[in-house]
Amino acid sequence: MPLVRISIRGGKPPAYRAALREGIYRAMRETFNVPDEDNFMVLTQHDEDELIFSKTYFNIARSDDFVMIQLTVSNTRSLEQKKALFARIVQLLGEKPGVRKEDVFINLVEVGKENWSFGNGIAQYVSD
Amino acid sequence: MPLVRISIRGGKPPAYRAALREGIYRAMRETFNVPDEDNFMVLTQHDEDELIFSKTYFNIARSDDFVMIQLTVSNTRSLEQKKALFARIVQLLGEKPGVRKEDVFINLVEVGKENWSFGNGIAQYVSD
Amino acid sequence: MPLVRISIRGGKPPAYRAALREGIYRAMRETFNVPDEDNFMVLTQHDEDELIFSKTYFNIARSDDFVMIQLTVSNTRSLEQKKALFARIVQLLGEKPGVRKEDVFINLVEVGKENWSFGNGIAQYVSD
């Protein structure tokens, strides 16, 4: 059910962008119990003056490889699961495509389970 | 009040995109009691590797005509209204521009009525 | 902590876009107690048929200089702070780059404090 928006600077090759998507999806599978094949994402690339980030906030030294990730998810996860998701995304993106841990910004937007329709005009999570 | 984000693959003609916008707006009018002229949308077009969707999740066979719709709305609608919105969007987009029902993905983000300003720096829904 | 999405028509010079970003950030600092350097934004430019807005809703005469601002923030602000934010954004953007007050649309999406990671895979606002 997550709807994931990924925002990065332009100029990265397709394999880099694919690794971002795959790492985030795998982290959601492992920590948020996201079902197999539940993968819906928009990845956008931006010029320097369209993607803005602090290079120092929280004493974190961000670089131009900054990755902003906003995930809309159902409101069913615990604090421990959220912490696990954040850590796992950073670990996996660090392995591939090799994003520095300082460069990964994550935000969760939570909604009710009845707020999703995956096709056919049905609210699948609350149908019977 | 809705703020609607529509994401599709590139390559569709302007009339197709207009029909998407008009169908979604009409469905909100009919099921969510959205006022006349309350129409604020961003429609973006994406390359194949920037708009990701499962072709099988929930046993729904999605195609490259996949339409991702995320609507930010006030938190005032019932479950029945949400189900009606989902069904009506799918029905209207099926009629025009002819989107397959399997290809319509919808997500609602709900916010308080005080979270909107339509201009002039005023929170119109909670002003007196 | 805010994640700010700004959507405008294309064609404005870089200084105009910078003034938008700076005015919104300053307004958040002054009314929402946003910390120094807490600045994360995506600004996108759109064709005429990709950014849709009513030219009359709430009897507000919007122009092609319409600015749509959606801010994801922690759910810790009062109604008075929200009203102050809306008013201050409009005032500052009116001063520079000179946006008409009718053209500023603002929406807030609120999330829990535990829903943010600013880097390093940590939920900074709930860590100890």
Side-chain angles (χ1 to χ4, degrees):
Chain A
M1 115 292 294
L3 187 168
V4 178
R5 296 187 187 278
I6 308 168
S7 304
I8 60 174
R9 290 271 177 86
K12 297 295 186 187
Y16 182 98
R17 302 198 301 269
L20 287 181
R21 298 191 312 260
E22 290 160 12
I24 295 166
Y25 174 60
R26 184 173 155 198
M28 295 191 301
R29 294 268 291 143
E30 293 179 2
T31 63
F32 265 33
N33 299 320
V34 166
D36 187 28
E37 278 294 323
D38 183 357
N39 193 6
F40 300 90
M41 300 186 169
V42 182
L43 186 153
T44 49
Q45 303 178 66
H46 303 274
D47 290 342
E48 181 172 346
D49 81 336
E50 296 194 343
L51 178 61
I52 304 300
F53 54 91
S54 166
K55 297 204 170 184
T56 63
Y57 185 54
F58 264 113
N59 291 317
I60 295 171
R62 298 176 191 83
S63 79
D64 290 349
D65 291 332
F66 178 73
V67 180
M68 177 188 283
I69 306 165
Q70 187 172 42
L71 308 97
T72 304
V73 298
S74 289
N75 56 3
T76 57
R77 274 74 181 205
S78 67
L79 174 57
E80 290 315 307
Q81 282 181 294
K82 294 175 184 178
K83 288 182 174 179
L85 176 73
F86 298 158
R88 190 62 175 144
I89 288 176
V90 163
Q91 182 178 27
L92 289 172
L93 299 191
E95 292 173 8
K96 187 179 175 190
V99 181
R100 297 166 60 251
K101 68 185 190 305
E102 292 87 349
D103 282 328
V104 182
F105 176 104
I106 308 168
N107 168 244
L108 301 176
V109 173
E110 294 178 280
V111 304
K113 289 180 74 69
E114 66 193 40
N115 286 15
W116 301 93
S117 177
F118 295 92
N120 297 335
I122 294 169
Q124 277 86 2
Y125 288 145
V126 293
S127 294
D128 46 24
Chain B
M1 116 292 295
L3 188 168
V4 178
R5 297 188 187 277
I6 307 167
S7 303
I8 59 173
R9 291 271 178 85
K12 297 294 186 187
Y16 183 98
R17 302 197 301 269
L20 287 181
R21 299 192 311 262
E22 289 160 12
I24 295 167
Y25 173 60
R26 184 173 155 198
M28 296 190 301
R29 293 269 289 142
E30 293 179 2
T31 62
F32 265 32
N33 298 320
V34 166
D36 187 28
E37 276 296 321
D38 182 356
N39 193 5
F40 299 90
M41 300 186 170
V42 182
L43 185 154
T44 49
Q45 302 177 68
H46 302 275
D47 290 341
E48 181 172 344
D49 81 336
E50 296 194 342
L51 177 60
I52 303 300
F53 55 91
S54 166
K55 297 204 170 185
T56 63
Y57 186 52
F58 264 114
N59 290 318
I60 294 171
R62 298 175 190 83
S63 78
D64 290 350
D65 290 333
F66 178 73
V67 180
M68 177 187 283
I69 306 166
Q70 187 172 44
L71 308 99
T72 305
V73 298
S74 290
N75 54 3
T76 56
R77 273 76 181 204
S78 68
L79 174 57
E80 290 315 307
Q81 282 180 294
K82 294 175 184 179
K83 288 182 175 179
L85 176 73
F86 298 158
R88 191 61 176 145
I89 288 176
V90 163
Q91 182 178 28
L92 289 172
L93 298 191
E95 291 172 8
K96 187 179 172 190
V99 182
R100 297 166 60 250
K101 67 186 192 305
E102 292 87 350
D103 282 327
V104 182
F105 176 104
I106 308 167
N107 168 244
L108 300 176
V109 173
E110 294 178 279
V111 304
K113 289 181 73 71
E114 67 193 40
N115 285 17
W116 301 93
S117 177
F118 296 91
N120 299 333
I122 294 169
Q124 277 87 0
Y125 289 144
V126 292
S127 294
D128 46 26
Chain C
M1 113 297 290
L3 187 169
V4 178
R5 297 188 187 277
I6 308 168
S7 304
I8 60 173
R9 290 272 176 86
K12 297 294 186 187
Y16 182 98
R17 302 198 300 268
L20 286 182
R21 298 192 311 262
E22 290 160 12
I24 295 167
Y25 174 59
R26 185 173 155 198
M28 295 191 301
R29 294 268 290 143
E30 293 179 3
T31 61
F32 265 33
N33 300 319
V34 166
D36 187 27
E37 278 294 323
D38 182 357
N39 193 6
F40 300 90
M41 298 185 172
V42 182
L43 185 154
T44 49
Q45 303 177 67
H46 303 274
D47 290 341
E48 180 172 345
D49 80 336
E50 296 194 344
L51 178 60
I52 303 301
F53 54 92
S54 167
K55 298 204 169 185
T56 63
Y57 186 53
F58 264 113
N59 290 317
I60 294 171
R62 298 175 190 84
S63 79
D64 290 349
D65 291 332
F66 178 73
V67 181
M68 177 187 283
I69 306 166
Q70 187 172 42
L71 307 97
T72 305
V73 298
S74 290
N75 55 3
T76 57
R77 275 74 182 207
S78 67
L79 173 57
E80 290 315 307
Q81 281 181 294
K82 294 176 185 178
K83 288 182 174 179
L85 176 73
F86 298 157
R88 191 62 176 144
I89 287 176
V90 164
Q91 182 178 28
L92 288 172
L93 298 191
E95 292 173 7
K96 189 179 173 191
V99 181
R100 298 166 60 249
K101 67 185 191 308
E102 292 87 348
D103 282 327
V104 181
F105 176 105
I106 308 168
N107 168 245
L108 301 176
V109 173
E110 293 179 280
V111 304
K113 289 180 74 71
E114 67 193 40
N115 285 17
W116 300 93
S117 177
F118 296 91
N120 298 334
I122 294 169
Q124 277 86 1
Y125 288 144
V126 292
S127 294
D128 46 25

